[in-house]
Amino acid sequence: MTFADKIIIICIVFVSILSMLTMNVFLYNSMGTEVIIELDGKPYAKYNFNEITSRKFIEIKTEYGYNKVEIDNNRVRIVEASCSDQLCVSSGWIEKNNQMVVCLPNRLVVKIAGGNSDIDGVSY
């Protein structure tokens, strides 16, 4: 490997890291204004952070399973779930625009939307 090869590799790594940081700033830096809960690909509920003054728990019981969602201080998480792997519970709090927690066995998606970013991962 020549010196020029090493320089090219370093430049590619630098550009890759710089592009990841730029995407993170533009896509996930803004705070969301609302929580959208989807069940089986259809809207289930929508909550505005400005309208919630204290901790709120939402229990979702369906034919697919049980989930308990907590909204508090402009952030949201899944507290309990009936799924076996518990990945949605271990995901923890989300609070920035375009972040989401997914419980595949129970077909539940909890995501944050409404920030000032009009850019998403597909259109960017």
Side-chain angles (χ1 to χ4, degrees):
M1 184 179 299
T2 66
F3 180 73
D5 293 336
K6 292 178 184 177
I7 295 294
I8 290 173
I9 290 171
I10 290 172
C11 288
I12 290 173
V13 169
F14 177 74
V15 168
S16 300
I17 292 172
L18 184 64
S19 65
M20 287 189 315
L21 292 174
T22 304
M23 290 289 287
N24 192 21
V25 167
F26 285 117
L27 289 179
Y28 298 113
N29 197 29
S30 64
M31 301 301 285
T33 58
E34 62 187 8
V35 175
I36 300 172
I37 300 174
E38 294 178 356
L39 184 62
D40 201 19
K42 299 176 184 125
Y44 179 81
K46 183 188 275 189
Y47 299 95
N48 193 329
F49 282 135
N50 296 330
E51 297 172 359
I52 297 175
T53 57
S54 63
R55 182 175 291 175
K56 181 175 185 75
F57 291 96
I58 301 106
E59 293 187 4
I60 304 167
K61 298 177 185 175
T62 65
E63 61 186 88
Y64 308 117
Y66 169 79
N67 289 88
K68 186 174 185 180
V69 178
E70 178 183 4
I71 303 173
D72 185 33
N73 294 333
N74 293 340
R75 58 188 188 162
V76 63
R77 70 176 174 163
I78 297 179
V79 181
E80 296 176 22
S82 63
C83 58
S84 60
D85 57 9
Q86 298 288 302
L87 289 175
C88 55
V89 176
S90 63
S91 294
W93 294 100
I94 59 171
E95 56 190 16
K96 295 183 181 178
N97 192 24
N98 295 325
Q99 285 184 318
M100 66 177 64
V101 178
V102 178
C103 183
L104 282 178
N106 296 347
R107 300 181 184 184
L108 179 78
V109 177
V110 178
K111 60 184 172 181
I112 296 182
N116 58 9
S117 176
D118 293 332
I119 300 172
D120 64 6
V122 175
S123 64
Y124 188 75

